[in-house]
Amino acid sequence: MNEADYAALGEHLHEVRPIFDAYCQRYGFRPVDPMTLGRYPRIRIERPGPVKIWFDLWMELDGDGRRYETFWRGAPYELSTGAHFDVSDGSRYGVRFQKALACFSAMPFERVGAVLMAEMETYLVVVQRWDEAYLRRDGIQVQLGTGVLL
């Protein structure tokens, strides 16, 4: 695939961007620059703070773990959410404590717009309770710069 193919593959996301924009304005989230997310269809938003909270909507992979190369209204999408915070531990990049969960998966894109706002509002109630103590206790610890679980 070339750049134009990837751009075309993600054009349908314009349908749900207004939902993300309204959510960001209402709850203090910010969109993540799409150029940092790769070329596969995806929207990610984050709320800054001592514990960063995020939501990530992306087109799932096929049954063989490969990316789809064309879009259709029934393309499977996942919305996930989570939280993390980073700690300096004397290493070059530090350590991250994090936790994530799926809000929905294998949802046909044609249904995403109808449930997106309600799903994010429902799961925000859960993840905004995840403070540093909770993430240290119930999350996973990752060595930044290596991706190694500790």
Side-chain angles (χ1 to χ4, degrees):
M1 291 181 70
N2 61 40
E3 292 301 319
D5 294 332
Y6 279 111
L9 183 60
E11 282 180 7
H12 62 281
L13 291 175
H14 76 276
E15 295 177 31
V16 295
R17 284 191 201 285
I19 298 168
F20 278 101
D21 292 345
Y23 190 86
C24 286
Q25 186 163 358
R26 188 176 301 155
Y27 296 106
F29 282 74
R30 297 180 190 153
V32 173
D33 180 357
M35 298 303 292
T36 66
L37 299 175
R39 299 179 293 187
Y40 203 56
R42 185 174 175 196
I43 297 175
R44 183 178 175 100
I45 59 173
E46 296 177 340
R47 186 166 75 184
V51 172
K52 187 178 287 186
I53 298 171
W54 53 266
F55 283 91
D56 199 338
L57 177 72
W58 71 288
M59 183 188 288
E60 292 182 308
L61 305 175
D62 70 16
D64 294 323
R66 291 190 295 258
R67 294 177 175 191
Y68 293 103
E69 294 188 9
T70 57
F71 171 73
W72 74 104
R73 305 290 306 160
Y77 264 79
E78 176 184 291
L79 176 68
S80 56
T81 186
H84 71 266
F85 73 96
D86 300 339
V87 176
S88 177
D89 68 346
S91 67
R92 183 171 181 183
Y93 300 107
V95 171
R96 174 169 290 169
F97 292 88
Q98 63 188 27
K99 185 170 179 144
L101 55 89
C103 306
F104 60 73
S105 64
M107 180 170 293
F109 182 77
E110 64 194 1
R111 292 184 39 218
V112 169
V115 301
L116 184 59
M117 180 66 79
E119 290 289 320
M120 290 190 296
E121 288 177 334
T122 295
Y123 281 94
L124 179 61
V125 173
V126 175
V127 297
Q128 69 185 358
R129 292 189 309 231
W130 296 356
D131 60 10
E132 290 183 12
Y134 175 81
L135 292 172
R136 283 182 187 271
R137 184 181 67 247
D138 292 334
I140 60 173
Q141 185 178 352
V142 177
Q143 184 68 54
L144 295 174
T146 67
V148 173
L149 297 177
L150 302 175

